[in-house]
Amino acid sequence: MVTIGCGRESSEEAVALADAHPEVYAAVGVHPVDAGKGNWRDSDVDWIRDLAQHEKVVGIGECGLDYFHDRTTPDDALRAFRAQGEIAADLGMPLIIHTRDAADDTMQILRDLGHDKVLLHCFSIPQYLDEAADRGWTMSIAGPVTFPKNLELRDAVPRIPEGQLLVETDAPYLAPVPMRGKRNEPAYVAHTLTCVAELRGVDVDDLDAVTTANAARVFGW
Ligand SMILES: [Zn+2]
């Protein structure tokens, strides 16, 4: 599994967890909400690059844009996003994207970046599914796919190419049905996997093998 950083402290904690547990890997970066709160310094690229050298670090992020939480000062978030995208492209590592109410700007920055190792975390932009598929990006499905009213996402999930599909928890947030409302934890990813298998009309064990193999290929472990 991958645990992610949202800033310097949590990125260092993610690396420490990866160091302590063989089955855990880490991603390091600055979350757009944190960046937008004035917590981004252009010099942050230095510690991100340093941490990315660690052998258990498999991605840069999560980073991206979040206009739901912050519509007022996206300048910092935009600079943080672009800078982290350049690090990922430079190091040839997956760029793990958080995007909320900011799909058009997120897509434009990713197109400009031209880096093909992109992972759309907590995938929520089915309107861009075909473009993401064409560009070879990975789409990671989280708990909201199990919410009955999330029809647009549930309709889209069967169209994700098999080799570009992952499942995740986004723990401690967004626990899937039947754990909805509780504190999410990694084990609950099984509920999300089962839901995705049902929507795609495939056997859950087969899909388990597919997403496990996809993760190994995407993250290079
Ligand atoms: Zn996120």
Side-chain angles (χ1 to χ4, degrees):
M1 72 180 84
V2 179
T3 188
I4 57 122
C6 295
R8 184 170 190 166
E9 195 179 330
S10 62
S11 293
E12 289 173 350
E13 287 170 354
V15 173
L17 271 172
D19 250 343
H21 302 279
E23 70 275 30
V24 176
Y25 294 79
V28 296
V30 178
H31 192 283
V33 173
D34 291 65
K37 283 179 188 158
N39 293 336
W40 175 259
R41 301 283 174 274
D42 289 331
S43 60
D44 284 342
V45 295
D46 296 335
W47 68 258
I48 295 171
R49 279 181 182 274
D50 283 349
L51 274 185
Q53 303 303 320
H54 189 283
E55 59 178 2
K56 296 293 292 289
V57 173
V58 295
I60 302 298
E62 59 186 89
C63 64
L65 292 174
D66 191 321
Y67 296 165
F68 175 81
H69 284 104
D70 186 356
R71 291 186 169 280
T72 53
T73 55
D75 273 6
D76 287 338
L78 286 166
R79 288 206 334 280
F81 182 14
R82 290 199 179 97
Q84 292 178 90
E86 282 167 19
I87 293 172
D90 207 29
L91 300 178
M93 297 179 83
L95 181 65
I96 299 171
I97 299 299
H98 169 108
T99 182
R100 190 161 177 198
D101 287 1
D104 295 348
D105 288 356
T106 301
M107 290 298 294
Q108 192 54 52
I109 287 170
L110 290 172
R111 289 184 201 113
D112 292 347
L113 181 67
H115 181 45
D116 60 354
K117 289 187 182 174
V118 169
L119 191 164
L120 299 171
H121 130 73
C122 197
F123 181 69
S124 61
I125 50 171
Q127 70 271 37
Y128 284 114
L129 189 156
D130 291 335
E131 181 175 349
D134 287 346
R135 292 179 180 275
W137 298 350
T138 303
M139 288 161 262
S140 181
I141 304 299
V145 76
T146 67
F147 302 168
K149 287 184 179 164
N150 205 347
L151 293 176
E152 211 185 345
L153 180 62
R154 292 167 66 90
D155 286 347
V157 156
R159 295 195 291 116
I160 298 174
E162 186 178 85
Q164 290 162 259
L165 174 68
L166 288 182
V167 288
E168 65 171 69
T169 56
D170 201 23
Y173 309 110
L174 297 173
V177 173
M179 302 300 176
R180 190 173 184 180
K182 295 197 164 86
R183 182 180 187 275
N184 203 355
E185 57 180 84
Y188 297 168
V189 77
H191 298 296
T192 301
L193 178 76
T194 300
C195 176
V196 171
E198 284 169 6
L199 291 170
R200 291 171 72 91
V202 298
D203 180 79
V204 68
D205 290 331
D206 291 346
L207 191 65
D208 184 5
V210 164
T211 54
T212 298
N214 287 346
R217 195 183 64 254
V218 168
F219 296 118
W221 62 51

Short mmCIF file of all heavy atoms in Angstrom, two decimals, residues 13-74:
data_model
loop_
_atom_site.label_atom_id
_atom_site.label_comp_id
_atom_site.label_asym_id
_atom_site.label_seq_id
_atom_site.Cartn_x
_atom_site.Cartn_y
_atom_site.Cartn_z
N GLU A 13 6.64 11.58 7.94
CA GLU A 13 5.99 10.49 8.68
C GLU A 13 5.65 9.32 7.74
O GLU A 13 5.78 8.16 8.13
CB GLU A 13 4.71 11.00 9.35
CG GLU A 13 4.98 11.88 10.55
CD GLU A 13 3.73 12.59 11.08
OE1 GLU A 13 2.66 12.50 10.44
OE2 GLU A 13 3.83 13.25 12.12
N ALA A 14 5.24 9.65 6.53
CA ALA A 14 4.92 8.59 5.57
C ALA A 14 6.17 7.78 5.25
O ALA A 14 6.11 6.54 5.18
CB ALA A 14 4.34 9.21 4.29
N VAL A 15 7.29 8.45 5.09
CA VAL A 15 8.55 7.75 4.81
C VAL A 15 8.96 6.89 6.00
O VAL A 15 9.41 5.74 5.83
CB VAL A 15 9.66 8.75 4.43
CG1 VAL A 15 11.01 8.04 4.31
CG2 VAL A 15 9.32 9.45 3.12
N ALA A 16 8.76 7.40 7.20
CA ALA A 16 9.10 6.63 8.41
C ALA A 16 8.23 5.36 8.50
O ALA A 16 8.72 4.28 8.85
CB ALA A 16 8.93 7.48 9.66
N LEU A 17 6.93 5.49 8.18
CA LEU A 17 6.05 4.32 8.18
C LEU A 17 6.51 3.30 7.13
O LEU A 17 6.52 2.08 7.39
CB LEU A 17 4.62 4.75 7.86
CG LEU A 17 3.72 5.14 9.02
CD1 LEU A 17 2.42 5.70 8.48
CD2 LEU A 17 3.44 3.93 9.91
N ALA A 18 6.89 3.80 5.95
CA ALA A 18 7.36 2.90 4.89
C ALA A 18 8.64 2.20 5.32
O ALA A 18 8.85 1.01 5.02
CB ALA A 18 7.58 3.69 3.61
N ASP A 19 9.49 2.92 6.05
CA ASP A 19 10.72 2.33 6.55
C ASP A 19 10.45 1.21 7.55
O ASP A 19 11.16 0.22 7.61
CB ASP A 19 11.54 3.41 7.26
CG ASP A 19 12.79 3.77 6.47
OD1 ASP A 19 13.17 2.96 5.58
OD2 ASP A 19 13.38 4.82 6.75
N ALA A 20 9.39 1.39 8.34
CA ALA A 20 9.10 0.45 9.42
C ALA A 20 8.33 -0.78 8.97
O ALA A 20 8.33 -1.79 9.67
CB ALA A 20 8.31 1.17 10.52
N HIS A 21 7.65 -0.70 7.82
CA HIS A 21 6.79 -1.80 7.39
C HIS A 21 7.11 -2.17 5.94
O HIS A 21 6.92 -1.33 5.04
CB HIS A 21 5.32 -1.41 7.50
CG HIS A 21 4.90 -1.00 8.88
ND1 HIS A 21 4.60 -1.92 9.86
CD2 HIS A 21 4.79 0.22 9.46
CE1 HIS A 21 4.29 -1.27 10.98
NE2 HIS A 21 4.40 0.02 10.76
N PRO A 22 7.51 -3.42 5.69
CA PRO A 22 7.90 -3.81 4.32
C PRO A 22 6.79 -3.60 3.30
O PRO A 22 7.08 -3.31 2.13
CB PRO A 22 8.22 -5.31 4.46
CG PRO A 22 8.50 -5.53 5.90
CD PRO A 22 7.71 -4.51 6.66
N GLU A 23 5.51 -3.75 3.70
CA GLU A 23 4.42 -3.69 2.73
C GLU A 23 3.92 -2.26 2.49
O GLU A 23 3.00 -2.05 1.71
CB GLU A 23 3.25 -4.57 3.19
CG GLU A 23 2.49 -4.07 4.40
CD GLU A 23 3.12 -4.49 5.73
OE1 GLU A 23 4.35 -4.64 5.79
OE2 GLU A 23 2.36 -4.61 6.72
N VAL A 24 4.53 -1.28 3.15
CA VAL A 24 4.09 0.11 2.99
C VAL A 24 5.12 0.91 2.18
O VAL A 24 6.33 0.80 2.43
CB VAL A 24 3.89 0.78 4.38
CG1 VAL A 24 3.52 2.26 4.22
CG2 VAL A 24 2.81 0.04 5.18
N TYR A 25 4.60 1.68 1.23
CA TYR A 25 5.42 2.61 0.46
C TYR A 25 4.89 4.02 0.69
O TYR A 25 3.80 4.20 1.22
CB TYR A 25 5.40 2.24 -1.02
CG TYR A 25 6.07 0.91 -1.29
CD1 TYR A 25 5.39 -0.29 -1.05
CD2 TYR A 25 7.38 0.85 -1.74
CE1 TYR A 25 6.01 -1.52 -1.27
CE2 TYR A 25 8.01 -0.38 -1.96
CZ TYR A 25 7.31 -1.56 -1.72
OH TYR A 25 7.92 -2.77 -1.92
N ALA A 26 5.66 5.01 0.27
CA ALA A 26 5.28 6.39 0.57
C ALA A 26 5.28 7.25 -0.69
O ALA A 26 6.01 7.00 -1.64
CB ALA A 26 6.24 6.98 1.60
N ALA A 27 4.42 8.29 -0.64
CA ALA A 27 4.49 9.39 -1.61
C ALA A 27 4.71 10.67 -0.81
O ALA A 27 4.23 10.78 0.32
CB ALA A 27 3.21 9.48 -2.43
N VAL A 28 5.44 11.60 -1.40
CA VAL A 28 5.79 12.83 -0.67
C VAL A 28 5.39 14.05 -1.49
O VAL A 28 5.56 14.08 -2.71
CB VAL A 28 7.29 12.87 -0.33
CG1 VAL A 28 7.65 11.73 0.61
CG2 VAL A 28 8.16 12.81 -1.58
N GLY A 29 4.83 15.06 -0.80
CA GLY A 29 4.43 16.26 -1.51
C GLY A 29 3.63 17.19 -0.62
O GLY A 29 3.51 16.97 0.59
N VAL A 30 3.06 18.22 -1.26
CA VAL A 30 2.27 19.23 -0.55
C VAL A 30 0.87 19.27 -1.18
O VAL A 30 0.72 19.51 -2.38
CB VAL A 30 2.92 20.61 -0.61
CG1 VAL A 30 2.04 21.65 0.09
CG2 VAL A 30 4.31 20.57 0.04
N HIS A 31 -0.12 19.04 -0.35
CA HIS A 31 -1.54 19.01 -0.75
C HIS A 31 -1.96 20.42 -1.17
O HIS A 31 -1.52 21.40 -0.58
CB HIS A 31 -2.36 18.54 0.45
CG HIS A 31 -3.77 18.19 0.14
ND1 HIS A 31 -4.74 19.14 -0.06
CD2 HIS A 31 -4.37 16.99 -0.01
CE1 HIS A 31 -5.88 18.53 -0.32
NE2 HIS A 31 -5.69 17.22 -0.28
N PRO A 32 -2.84 20.53 -2.18
CA PRO A 32 -3.24 21.87 -2.64
C PRO A 32 -3.90 22.72 -1.56
O PRO A 32 -3.74 23.96 -1.57
CB PRO A 32 -4.20 21.60 -3.80
CG PRO A 32 -4.58 20.16 -3.67
CD PRO A 32 -3.42 19.48 -3.01
N VAL A 33 -4.63 22.11 -0.65
CA VAL A 33 -5.27 22.91 0.41
C VAL A 33 -4.19 23.50 1.32
O VAL A 33 -4.25 24.68 1.71
CB VAL A 33 -6.28 22.07 1.20
CG1 VAL A 33 -6.79 22.86 2.40
CG2 VAL A 33 -7.44 21.67 0.31
N ASP A 34 -3.18 22.70 1.64
CA ASP A 34 -2.07 23.21 2.45
C ASP A 34 -1.30 24.28 1.69
O ASP A 34 -0.93 25.32 2.26
CB ASP A 34 -1.11 22.07 2.83
CG ASP A 34 -1.75 21.11 3.82
OD1 ASP A 34 -2.73 20.47 3.42
OD2 ASP A 34 -1.30 21.05 4.97
N ALA A 35 -1.03 24.03 0.43
CA ALA A 35 -0.30 25.01 -0.38
C ALA A 35 -1.06 26.33 -0.46
O ALA A 35 -0.48 27.41 -0.37
CB ALA A 35 -0.05 24.45 -1.79
N GLY A 36 -2.40 26.23 -0.60
CA GLY A 36 -3.23 27.41 -0.74
C GLY A 36 -3.33 28.23 0.54
O GLY A 36 -3.69 29.41 0.51
N LYS A 37 -3.03 27.60 1.68
CA LYS A 37 -3.08 28.32 2.95
C LYS A 37 -1.82 29.13 3.19
O LYS A 37 -1.59 29.61 4.32
CB LYS A 37 -3.25 27.33 4.10
CG LYS A 37 -4.65 26.77 4.25
CD LYS A 37 -4.68 25.78 5.41
CE LYS A 37 -6.01 25.05 5.49
NZ LYS A 37 -5.87 23.78 6.22
N GLY A 38 -0.99 29.26 2.19
CA GLY A 38 0.24 30.02 2.34
C GLY A 38 1.39 29.18 2.86
O GLY A 38 2.43 29.70 3.26
N ASN A 39 1.20 27.86 2.86
CA ASN A 39 2.24 26.98 3.37
C ASN A 39 3.25 26.54 2.31
O ASN A 39 4.12 25.74 2.59
CB ASN A 39 1.62 25.72 4.00
CG ASN A 39 0.85 26.06 5.26
OD1 ASN A 39 1.12 27.08 5.89
ND2 ASN A 39 -0.11 25.23 5.61
N TRP A 40 3.10 27.03 1.09
CA TRP A 40 4.04 26.65 0.04
C TRP A 40 5.14 27.69 -0.09
O TRP A 40 4.87 28.90 -0.17
CB TRP A 40 3.33 26.49 -1.30
CG TRP A 40 4.30 26.22 -2.43
CD1 TRP A 40 4.76 27.12 -3.36
CD2 TRP A 40 4.94 24.98 -2.73
NE1 TRP A 40 5.64 26.50 -4.21
CE2 TRP A 40 5.77 25.19 -3.85
CE3 TRP A 40 4.88 23.69 -2.16
CZ2 TRP A 40 6.55 24.17 -4.40
CZ3 TRP A 40 5.66 22.69 -2.73
CH2 TRP A 40 6.48 22.93 -3.83
N ARG A 41 6.38 27.22 -0.07
CA ARG A 41 7.54 28.05 -0.41
C ARG A 41 8.19 27.40 -1.62
O ARG A 41 8.29 26.17 -1.67
CB ARG A 41 8.56 28.11 0.74
CG ARG A 41 7.99 28.66 2.05
CD ARG A 41 7.87 30.18 2.00
NE ARG A 41 7.20 30.72 3.19
CZ ARG A 41 5.89 30.83 3.34
NH1 ARG A 41 5.08 30.44 2.37
NH2 ARG A 41 5.37 31.32 4.44
N ASP A 42 8.67 28.23 -2.54
CA ASP A 42 9.28 27.63 -3.73
C ASP A 42 10.48 26.75 -3.35
O ASP A 42 10.81 25.81 -4.09
CB ASP A 42 9.67 28.71 -4.73
CG ASP A 42 8.43 29.33 -5.37
OD1 ASP A 42 7.41 28.64 -5.48
OD2 ASP A 42 8.48 30.52 -5.74
N SER A 43 11.09 27.04 -2.22
CA SER A 43 12.21 26.20 -1.75
C SER A 43 11.76 24.82 -1.28
O SER A 43 12.61 23.94 -1.03
CB SER A 43 12.96 26.91 -0.62
OG SER A 43 12.08 27.15 0.46
N ASP A 44 10.44 24.61 -1.16
CA ASP A 44 9.96 23.29 -0.76
C ASP A 44 10.36 22.21 -1.76
O ASP A 44 10.35 21.01 -1.41
CB ASP A 44 8.43 23.29 -0.59
CG ASP A 44 7.99 23.97 0.70
OD1 ASP A 44 8.84 24.14 1.59
OD2 ASP A 44 6.82 24.35 0.80
N VAL A 45 10.67 22.60 -2.98
CA VAL A 45 11.10 21.58 -3.94
C VAL A 45 12.35 20.85 -3.44
O VAL A 45 12.56 19.68 -3.78
CB VAL A 45 11.37 22.18 -5.35
CG1 VAL A 45 10.08 22.73 -5.94
CG2 VAL A 45 12.45 23.24 -5.30
N ASP A 46 13.15 21.52 -2.60
CA ASP A 46 14.40 20.88 -2.14
C ASP A 46 14.12 19.67 -1.25
O ASP A 46 14.69 18.60 -1.46
CB ASP A 46 15.27 21.90 -1.38
CG ASP A 46 15.73 23.02 -2.31
OD1 ASP A 46 15.81 22.78 -3.54
OD2 ASP A 46 16.00 24.13 -1.81
N TRP A 47 13.24 19.85 -0.23
CA TRP A 47 12.99 18.70 0.63
C TRP A 47 12.19 17.61 -0.08
O TRP A 47 12.36 16.41 0.21
CB TRP A 47 12.36 19.09 1.97
CG TRP A 47 10.95 19.64 1.96
CD1 TRP A 47 10.58 20.95 2.08
CD2 TRP A 47 9.73 18.89 1.85
NE1 TRP A 47 9.21 21.06 2.04
CE2 TRP A 47 8.67 19.82 1.90
CE3 TRP A 47 9.43 17.54 1.71
CZ2 TRP A 47 7.33 19.44 1.80
CZ3 TRP A 47 8.09 17.15 1.60
CH2 TRP A 47 7.06 18.11 1.66
N ILE A 48 11.34 18.02 -1.02
CA ILE A 48 10.59 17.00 -1.76
C ILE A 48 11.55 16.14 -2.60
O ILE A 48 11.49 14.91 -2.59
CB ILE A 48 9.51 17.65 -2.64
CG1 ILE A 48 8.45 18.33 -1.77
CG2 ILE A 48 8.86 16.62 -3.55
CD1 ILE A 48 7.46 19.19 -2.53
N ARG A 49 12.48 16.82 -3.27
CA ARG A 49 13.48 16.07 -4.06
C ARG A 49 14.33 15.17 -3.18
O ARG A 49 14.64 14.03 -3.54
CB ARG A 49 14.39 17.04 -4.84
CG ARG A 49 13.77 17.55 -6.12
CD ARG A 49 14.73 18.49 -6.84
NE ARG A 49 14.13 19.03 -8.04
CZ ARG A 49 14.15 18.41 -9.23
NH1 ARG A 49 14.76 17.24 -9.36
NH2 ARG A 49 13.55 18.95 -10.26
N ASP A 50 14.72 15.69 -2.02
CA ASP A 50 15.55 14.89 -1.11
C ASP A 50 14.80 13.64 -0.64
O ASP A 50 15.32 12.53 -0.70
CB ASP A 50 15.97 15.72 0.12
CG ASP A 50 17.09 16.69 -0.21
OD1 ASP A 50 17.67 16.55 -1.32
OD2 ASP A 50 17.38 17.57 0.62
N LEU A 51 13.56 13.85 -0.16
CA LEU A 51 12.79 12.70 0.33
C LEU A 51 12.50 11.70 -0.80
O LEU A 51 12.46 10.48 -0.57
CB LEU A 51 11.46 13.17 0.93
CG LEU A 51 11.43 13.59 2.39
CD1 LEU A 51 9.99 13.90 2.79
CD2 LEU A 51 12.01 12.52 3.31
N ALA A 52 12.33 12.21 -2.01
CA ALA A 52 12.00 11.33 -3.14
C ALA A 52 13.12 10.35 -3.46
O ALA A 52 12.90 9.35 -4.15
CB ALA A 52 11.66 12.17 -4.37
N GLN A 53 14.32 10.65 -2.97
CA GLN A 53 15.45 9.73 -3.22
C GLN A 53 15.34 8.47 -2.37
O GLN A 53 16.01 7.48 -2.66
CB GLN A 53 16.79 10.43 -2.88
CG GLN A 53 17.04 11.73 -3.63
CD GLN A 53 16.99 11.54 -5.14
OE1 GLN A 53 17.49 10.54 -5.65
NE2 GLN A 53 16.36 12.47 -5.84
N HIS A 54 14.54 8.51 -1.31
CA HIS A 54 14.42 7.35 -0.42
C HIS A 54 13.89 6.14 -1.20
O HIS A 54 13.00 6.29 -2.03
CB HIS A 54 13.49 7.69 0.74
CG HIS A 54 13.46 6.65 1.82
ND1 HIS A 54 12.77 5.47 1.68
CD2 HIS A 54 14.05 6.60 3.03
CE1 HIS A 54 12.92 4.75 2.77
NE2 HIS A 54 13.69 5.41 3.61
N GLU A 55 14.43 4.96 -0.91
CA GLU A 55 14.10 3.79 -1.73
C GLU A 55 12.64 3.36 -1.62
O GLU A 55 12.13 2.68 -2.51
CB GLU A 55 15.00 2.60 -1.35
CG GLU A 55 14.87 2.20 0.11
CD GLU A 55 15.73 0.99 0.45
OE1 GLU A 55 16.44 0.51 -0.44
OE2 GLU A 55 15.66 0.55 1.62
N LYS A 56 11.93 3.75 -0.54
CA LYS A 56 10.52 3.36 -0.41
C LYS A 56 9.56 4.45 -0.92
O LYS A 56 8.35 4.28 -0.85
CB LYS A 56 10.18 3.04 1.04
CG LYS A 56 10.91 1.84 1.65
CD LYS A 56 10.52 0.49 1.04
CE LYS A 56 9.11 0.03 1.33
NZ LYS A 56 8.87 -0.39 2.71
N VAL A 57 10.08 5.54 -1.45
CA VAL A 57 9.21 6.58 -2.00
C VAL A 57 8.92 6.26 -3.46
O VAL A 57 9.84 6.08 -4.26
CB VAL A 57 9.84 7.98 -1.85
CG1 VAL A 57 8.99 9.03 -2.58
CG2 VAL A 57 9.95 8.35 -0.37
N VAL A 58 7.62 6.14 -3.78
CA VAL A 58 7.20 5.67 -5.10
C VAL A 58 6.37 6.71 -5.87
O VAL A 58 5.86 6.41 -6.94
CB VAL A 58 6.39 4.36 -4.99
CG1 VAL A 58 7.28 3.24 -4.45
CG2 VAL A 58 5.17 4.55 -4.10
N GLY A 59 6.23 7.92 -5.32
CA GLY A 59 5.43 8.91 -6.04
C GLY A 59 5.58 10.28 -5.43
O GLY A 59 6.04 10.43 -4.28
N ILE A 60 5.17 11.30 -6.22
CA ILE A 60 5.14 12.68 -5.75
C ILE A 60 3.68 13.08 -5.57
O ILE A 60 2.87 12.95 -6.49
CB ILE A 60 5.83 13.63 -6.76
CG1 ILE A 60 7.29 13.20 -7.02
CG2 ILE A 60 5.74 15.07 -6.27
CD1 ILE A 60 8.19 13.24 -5.81
N GLY A 61 3.33 13.55 -4.38
CA GLY A 61 1.96 13.97 -4.11
C GLY A 61 1.53 13.54 -2.70
O GLY A 61 2.34 13.00 -1.96
N GLU A 62 0.26 13.85 -2.27
CA GLU A 62 -0.64 14.26 -3.31
C GLU A 62 -0.55 15.76 -3.54
O GLU A 62 -0.36 16.54 -2.60
CB GLU A 62 -2.08 13.84 -3.00
CG GLU A 62 -2.64 14.38 -1.69
CD GLU A 62 -4.02 13.81 -1.40
OE1 GLU A 62 -4.09 12.77 -0.76
OE2 GLU A 62 -5.04 14.42 -1.81
N CYS A 63 -0.73 16.14 -4.80
CA CYS A 63 -0.73 17.55 -5.14
C CYS A 63 -1.82 17.77 -6.20
O CYS A 63 -2.45 16.82 -6.64
CB CYS A 63 0.64 17.98 -5.63
SG CYS A 63 1.16 17.20 -7.15
N GLY A 64 -2.03 19.01 -6.56
CA GLY A 64 -3.09 19.29 -7.53
C GLY A 64 -3.79 20.59 -7.22
O GLY A 64 -3.16 21.56 -6.80
N LEU A 65 -5.11 20.59 -7.41
CA LEU A 65 -5.90 21.81 -7.19
C LEU A 65 -7.19 21.47 -6.47
O LEU A 65 -7.81 20.43 -6.76
CB LEU A 65 -6.23 22.48 -8.54
CG LEU A 65 -5.06 23.08 -9.30
CD1 LEU A 65 -5.54 23.58 -10.67
CD2 LEU A 65 -4.41 24.23 -8.51
N ASP A 66 -7.60 22.33 -5.56
CA ASP A 66 -8.82 22.13 -4.80
C ASP A 66 -9.53 23.46 -4.63
O ASP A 66 -9.24 24.22 -3.72
CB ASP A 66 -8.49 21.51 -3.43
CG ASP A 66 -9.75 21.02 -2.71
OD1 ASP A 66 -10.78 21.71 -2.79
OD2 ASP A 66 -9.67 19.96 -2.07
N TYR A 67 -10.45 23.76 -5.54
CA TYR A 67 -11.19 25.02 -5.47
C TYR A 67 -12.42 24.88 -4.57
O TYR A 67 -13.06 25.88 -4.24
CB TYR A 67 -11.63 25.48 -6.87
CG TYR A 67 -10.48 25.81 -7.81
CD1 TYR A 67 -10.71 25.93 -9.18
CD2 TYR A 67 -9.19 26.01 -7.34
CE1 TYR A 67 -9.68 26.24 -10.05
CE2 TYR A 67 -8.15 26.31 -8.21
CZ TYR A 67 -8.41 26.42 -9.57
OH TYR A 67 -7.39 26.71 -10.43
N PHE A 68 -12.73 23.67 -4.17
CA PHE A 68 -13.82 23.49 -3.20
C PHE A 68 -13.41 24.07 -1.85
O PHE A 68 -14.17 24.78 -1.20
CB PHE A 68 -14.14 22.00 -3.05
CG PHE A 68 -15.17 21.70 -1.98
CD1 PHE A 68 -16.53 21.86 -2.25
CD2 PHE A 68 -14.79 21.27 -0.72
CE1 PHE A 68 -17.48 21.59 -1.28
CE2 PHE A 68 -15.74 21.00 0.26
CZ PHE A 68 -17.08 21.16 -0.03
N HIS A 69 -12.18 23.78 -1.44
CA HIS A 69 -11.70 24.25 -0.15
C HIS A 69 -11.10 25.65 -0.23
O HIS A 69 -10.98 26.33 0.78
CB HIS A 69 -10.67 23.29 0.43
CG HIS A 69 -11.29 22.05 1.00
ND1 HIS A 69 -11.26 20.83 0.36
CD2 HIS A 69 -11.98 21.85 2.14
CE1 HIS A 69 -11.89 19.93 1.09
NE2 HIS A 69 -12.34 20.51 2.17
N ASP A 70 -10.65 26.05 -1.41
CA ASP A 70 -9.95 27.33 -1.50
C ASP A 70 -10.13 27.95 -2.88
O ASP A 70 -9.47 27.56 -3.84
CB ASP A 70 -8.45 27.13 -1.21
CG ASP A 70 -7.73 28.47 -1.14
OD1 ASP A 70 -8.37 29.51 -1.39
OD2 ASP A 70 -6.53 28.47 -0.83
N ARG A 71 -11.03 28.90 -2.97
CA ARG A 71 -11.24 29.60 -4.23
C ARG A 71 -10.49 30.93 -4.26
O ARG A 71 -10.43 31.59 -5.29
CB ARG A 71 -12.73 29.92 -4.44
CG ARG A 71 -13.55 28.71 -4.70
CD ARG A 71 -14.98 29.07 -5.03
NE ARG A 71 -15.68 27.90 -5.52
CZ ARG A 71 -15.57 27.44 -6.77
NH1 ARG A 71 -14.86 28.08 -7.66
NH2 ARG A 71 -16.21 26.34 -7.12
N THR A 72 -9.95 31.34 -3.12
CA THR A 72 -9.48 32.72 -3.00
C THR A 72 -8.03 32.91 -3.44
O THR A 72 -7.70 33.90 -4.06
CB THR A 72 -9.61 33.21 -1.55
OG1 THR A 72 -8.97 32.27 -0.70
CG2 THR A 72 -11.07 33.32 -1.17
N THR A 73 -7.16 31.99 -3.09
CA THR A 73 -5.74 32.20 -3.38
C THR A 73 -5.12 31.01 -4.10
O THR A 73 -4.23 30.36 -3.58
CB THR A 73 -4.94 32.45 -2.09
OG1 THR A 73 -5.18 31.35 -1.20
CG2 THR A 73 -5.33 33.74 -1.42
N PRO A 74 -5.62 30.72 -5.29
CA PRO A 74 -5.06 29.54 -5.97
C PRO A 74 -3.64 29.74 -6.51
O PRO A 74 -3.04 28.78 -6.96
CB PRO A 74 -6.05 29.28 -7.10
CG PRO A 74 -6.66 30.59 -7.38
CD PRO A 74 -6.67 31.35 -6.07
#
